[in-house]
Amino acid sequence: MEEIIRYFNEECIKKFNELRTELYKEPKNLAEFIMYIRQETDELARRTVEAVIQEMDDMIKSMPARKRNWYVEHKADSKSLTTSVGDVSFKRTLYVSKNEVDDNGKPLSCYLLDKVLELSPKQTMTEDATSNILTEAVETSYRRGGDAASPAGVSKGTVKNIIHSLKFPETYKKPEKRKEVEYLYIEADEDHYHLQFKCRKGDLEKGENGRKKNGAITKLIYVHEGVEPEAPGSKRHKLINPHYFCRGESQDNKDLWKEVFDYIEDTYETEKIHRIYLNSDGGSWIKGGYRGIGGNITFVLDEYHLSKYIAKLTDHMEDSTEDAKKEIYDCIRNETKEKFSEIVERLKGCTKDDSVLKRIEDGADFIKSNWTAAKYRLKKGAGVVGSSTEGHVYHVLSSRMSTKPMGWSYRGGENMAKLLEYYWNKGNMLELAMYQKEELPMAAGAEEVVLSVTEILRSEKTDRTKIQAEYGKYSDAARATLSSQNNKQLMFWLNGKI
């Protein structure tokens, strides 16, 4: 840490004063002043990280317990890590065990510093930098995610590899006490996105028309407790306690719906729920999924698709379009399918255009196949609320995955969907980055290396006179603070780690 004290006294304070002087000369340049100060403090942070890591390696080397169990093989093997404050480089010592052997019968070798810091052999980035990448990449792009990693940034390919290799924890934590609600809502829809390839470039099949079959879907299901105004008196509404599930095609449909209902079972007193409403467009994966699970669920057709298919029935009616729409809405609300079929036949009689007739038939078939769900939507019985699936598909999935001209692989698309799920469920990106860390086994004998207070104080006393003479009261104050931290914290964190 002495090098950091020296750097701060000789470089940082001098630079801070220069910048302060410039600000007094040109007060309008406050923004530049802030940016340059930030650069200096980031560099100080980077150097401090390097120094502390190097100090830790030196401290391990000097411990008597280490000397009993390990001898030094290499003293200065280099390692570099990308961090959120920049690239840090340091030297660490390779040790060989005096007592233990590996699977091949050779003496066990180990970087004890890596064990203390829980660094995997191939790790080149710290979790804070990974967290920055995930935070940016989930909202914008791989390129911007790479720029956010550290001041120097990393490549798009690095970001892609991180996204592709992500592992995810459970999507929710079971509450200590399940909630009681009268009504619960499930909404489901899907987003369609484009594939560049499935697993490797050039593996997309072509259809009879010669076009690549590059379509894929991401399924979106979210559970909530209803809607409420965003603020008192606001006309805008928000969902109450939503929880999201975003999954690709690789997951079995029944497994996905089982996850949804497991979440409901774990979170709510299901026997006290009066009714669960499912708002959707009636897609086959939605109907097949929830019916396979069972439960007290009422399917309600969403407004967007209902109005879309009624428009198919009536758009050719020109000046009578609104009257025709009103008649259909009234029929769905109050009449039978037979009455609806009579109206459809009358609408067909108003055109001889084959394409219009086909459109009318498509609209009629959709409404008939979702007749009861359409009635629930229009009658707006107890507990029925408006559907927000189209808006949520855009905000949760499409805005990142499909509205811009971009292509994905299956792995990239499905992991991005899971990352969006994690993000919209308010997951902590640093915790997700930490979750990727490998569980590294402790090297045999390493747990006996204990940092003692006596060793720390002895090390401090050796250098104290020189530092006091060189830097005076400022370094003395810093040194005193560091001594306090050593006595109370370094012992705690390192004890038993190596």
Side-chain angles (χ1 to χ4, degrees):
M1 290 299 294
E2 290 75 29
E3 289 297 323
I4 295 302
I5 297 172
R6 183 178 294 109
Y7 174 76
F8 183 77
N9 278 279
E10 296 179 356
E11 301 291 337
C12 290
I13 292 178
K14 177 183 176 183
K15 188 65 176 179
F16 290 165
N17 281 328
E18 290 175 355
L19 292 170
R20 183 182 66 171
T21 300
E22 290 298 319
L23 181 63
Y24 272 88
K25 291 179 180 178
E26 294 288 345
K28 65 180 181 180
N29 292 337
L30 176 61
E32 288 186 3
F33 172 77
I34 293 171
M35 291 176 62
Y36 288 132
I37 287 289
R38 175 67 181 272
Q39 290 176 8
E40 292 300 318
T41 55
D42 280 357
E43 176 62 12
L44 177 62
R46 189 192 68 79
R47 286 173 177 259
T48 301
V49 173
E50 284 186 340
V52 171
I53 294 175
Q54 196 64 64
E55 177 189 58
M56 192 176 292
D57 188 70
D58 295 340
M59 201 171 288
I60 292 169
K61 190 189 302 180
S62 66
M63 292 179 185
R66 190 282 302 167
K67 295 175 182 178
R68 287 194 299 270
N69 295 287
W70 304 84
Y71 67 80
V72 175
E73 178 72 8
H74 299 144
K75 291 185 178 180
D77 289 350
S78 298
K79 188 173 182 68
S80 180
L81 293 171
T82 297
T83 77
S84 58
V85 294
D87 290 347
V88 299
S89 300
F90 50 92
K91 308 287 186 181
R92 78 250 208 260
T93 307
L94 177 66
Y95 299 97
V96 175
S97 176
K98 297 180 178 180
N99 309 307
E100 301 295 326
V101 296
D102 61 20
D103 294 339
N104 297 319
K106 296 181 179 180
L108 186 68
S109 61
C110 174
Y111 290 105
L112 291 179
L113 178 66
D114 288 3
K115 295 297 182 183
V116 170
L117 298 175
E118 297 186 9
L119 299 175
S120 63
K122 297 181 180 180
Q123 184 171 343
T124 59
M125 185 180 298
T126 55
E127 288 76 17
D128 55 308
T130 303
S131 173
N132 286 351
I133 288 174
L134 298 177
T135 300
E136 186 64 35
V138 75
E139 293 191 66
T140 56
S141 66
Y142 286 0
R143 180 181 63 79
R144 290 188 179 180
D147 292 343
S150 72
V154 298
S155 69
K156 292 190 297 183
T158 299
V159 177
K160 184 201 76 170
N161 291 338
I162 290 172
I163 299 295
H164 281 214
S165 63
L166 281 176
K167 301 177 295 182
F168 294 88
E170 292 293 329
T171 59
Y172 65 93
K173 294 180 180 179
K174 294 182 181 180
E176 293 183 2
K177 183 179 180 181
R178 293 189 296 175
K179 292 189 284 186
E180 296 182 16
V181 295
E182 185 175 5
Y183 296 99
L184 194 65
Y185 304 88
I186 304 172
E187 304 201 30
D189 206 344
E190 71 274 345
D191 179 47
H192 296 259
Y193 67 95
H194 295 293
L195 293 171
Q196 284 185 330
F197 53 87
K198 293 180 179 178
C199 300
R200 61 186 63 85
K201 291 184 178 180
D203 66 356
L204 292 178
E205 299 175 4
K206 292 185 177 181
E208 295 179 358
N209 57 5
R211 293 183 179 179
K212 292 181 179 179
K213 297 180 179 180
N214 65 341
I217 69 167
T218 300
K219 301 170 184 176
L220 171 64
I221 303 173
Y222 52 101
V223 180
H224 62 93
E225 299 166 17
V227 297
E228 63 182 2
E230 287 188 348
S234 174
K235 294 181 180 181
R236 295 177 61 86
H237 289 77
K238 64 178 181 179
L239 302 182
I240 302 172
N241 297 324
H243 187 85
Y244 298 87
F245 300 83
C246 306
R247 305 300 169 81
E249 296 175 89
S250 65
Q251 183 175 19
D252 181 76
N253 198 40
K254 288 185 178 180
D255 290 342
L256 171 56
W257 280 101
K258 184 177 185 305
E259 278 193 54
V260 174
F261 283 92
D262 284 346
Y263 165 76
I264 293 173
E265 288 283 348
D266 291 336
T267 308
Y268 299 95
E269 295 284 357
T270 52
E271 64 277 5
K272 295 185 179 181
I273 298 175
H274 178 67
R275 181 165 290 177
I276 299 175
Y277 286 110
L278 170 63
N279 292 319
S280 83
D281 62 359
S284 59
W285 72 269
I286 299 171
K287 288 182 176 179
Y290 88 85
R291 286 173 178 170
I293 297 298
N296 181 25
I297 300 174
T298 298
F299 171 41
V300 181
L301 191 63
D302 70 83
E303 298 100 322
Y304 173 81
H305 285 90
L306 179 57
S307 61
K308 173 184 174 181
Y309 283 96
I310 288 178
K312 285 191 173 189
L313 290 167
T314 59
D315 279 354
H316 66 290
M317 295 299 291
E318 299 180 352
D319 293 344
S320 301
T321 295
E322 292 305 316
D323 291 336
K325 284 184 178 180
K326 183 179 183 305
E327 184 177 8
I328 291 173
Y329 275 114
D330 289 341
C331 178
I332 295 172
R333 188 181 293 110
N334 302 311
E335 300 293 342
T336 62
K337 278 187 185 181
E338 288 72 20
K339 179 65 175 178
F340 175 74
S341 296
E342 292 176 9
I343 296 174
V344 171
E345 290 303 315
R346 282 195 281 114
L347 292 170
K348 285 182 178 180
C350 297
T351 182
K352 295 183 179 180
D353 188 310
D354 289 340
S355 63
V356 174
L357 290 171
K358 177 66 168 59
R359 194 163 64 244
I360 293 172
E361 289 175 359
D362 288 343
D365 289 344
F366 177 83
I367 292 173
K368 287 178 181 178
S369 63
N370 296 287
W371 183 256
T372 303
K375 276 186 174 291
Y376 272 110
R377 167 57 58 203
L378 296 181
K379 284 189 173 183
K380 297 181 180 179
V384 174
V385 299
S387 171
S388 60
T389 54
E390 290 302 313
H392 272 80
V393 165
Y394 175 79
H395 288 294
V396 177
L397 294 174
S398 303
S399 61
R400 178 63 182 91
M401 297 188 65
S402 61
T403 57
K404 300 173 184 177
M406 61 179 66
W408 304 82
S409 66
Y410 268 139
R411 173 65 67 85
E414 298 205 347
N415 270 19
M416 179 53 70
K418 289 181 181 179
L419 184 58
L420 286 162
E421 173 186 320
Y422 186 84
Y423 170 79
W424 281 91
N425 285 327
K426 300 180 180 179
N428 183 294
M429 291 301 178
L430 181 56
E431 291 181 5
L432 181 60
M434 297 290 289
Y435 186 77
Q436 312 308 309
K437 182 171 285 190
E438 298 177 23
E439 293 292 332
L440 300 175
M442 181 65 68
E447 67 279 357
E448 297 181 17
V449 181
V450 178
L451 182 66
S452 71
V453 176
T454 303
E455 290 176 82
I456 298 171
L457 295 177
R458 186 186 299 121
S459 173
E460 291 177 348
K461 187 175 180 181
T462 302
D463 297 327
R464 182 177 176 80
T465 304
K466 177 182 176 183
I467 295 171
Q468 172 64 28
E470 189 171 357
Y471 298 117
K473 62 180 181 180
Y474 297 108
S475 62
D476 186 56
R479 189 69 174 176
T481 301
L482 291 171
S483 296
S484 174
Q485 291 173 342
N486 281 341
N487 290 336
K488 295 178 181 179
Q489 297 178 14
L490 296 183
M491 175 71 174
F492 174 77
W493 288 111
L494 277 181
N495 186 23
K497 284 285 186 181
I498 57 174

